[in-house]
Amino acid sequence: QVQLVESGGGLVQVGGSLRLSCAASGSIFSVAIMGWYRQAPGKQREQVATIASSGTSNYQDSVKGRFTISRDNAKSTVYLQMNSLNSEDTAVYYCNLRYPNTGRSFWGQGTQVTVSS
């Protein structure tokens, strides 16, 4: 059974940084597409960044140049380095694992990121 456990969320001031981690277990991590999504109060969940097994990454326009997604296949862990945070980044951040061949997808429980001004 695939399990994803996020960590690293918290309260940070505008302009600050946080690093989220997501550890996966029970999966074939190396072949999976990993992603970070977020959901702000009253809004739909949105994709923030994804990284393929090849290391190719994609970002939502609003986070380009500020966020960096990376993965460590040996540790079955994906990271999201978030810099220059602003109030619009406040949300619950979710880790996602998706197998590209089957499309099967799994979610973590989420971690709260709050940016205060």
Side-chain angles (χ1 to χ4, degrees):
Q1 182 177 358
V2 174
Q3 288 189 323
L4 302 173
V5 179
E6 300 106 331
S7 61
L11 176 65
V12 64
Q13 289 188 329
V14 170
S17 298
L18 282 175
R19 188 193 195 204
L20 305 183
S21 300
C22 172
S25 61
S27 68
I28 310 174
F29 183 87
S30 61
V31 304
I33 298 170
M34 298 302 300
W36 286 98
Y37 292 71
R38 66 187 180 186
Q39 187 166 17
K43 294 186 177 182
Q44 290 189 332
R45 190 174 298 189
E46 61 180 6
Q47 181 177 295
V48 176
T50 62
I51 185 166
S53 58
S54 63
T56 300
S57 58
N58 286 285
Y59 298 90
Q60 179 193 106
D61 285 347
S62 69
V63 307
K64 284 180 180 178
R66 300 189 298 122
F67 291 10
T68 302
I69 189 170
S70 61
R71 64 191 294 163
D72 185 336
N73 288 341
K75 295 182 179 180
S76 296
T77 300
V78 64
Y79 305 96
L80 185 68
Q81 177 67 43
M82 305 186 293
N83 299 327
S84 302
L85 286 161
N86 58 58
S87 58
E88 294 183 348
D89 297 317
T90 294
V92 177
Y93 283 71
Y94 296 91
C95 176
N96 177 265
L97 180 151
R98 180 167 63 86
Y99 291 122
N101 289 341
T102 64
R104 196 169 180 192
S105 180
F106 303 87
W107 293 93
Q109 81 287 354
T111 185
Q112 177 70 47
V113 171
T114 302
V115 184
S116 67
S117 56

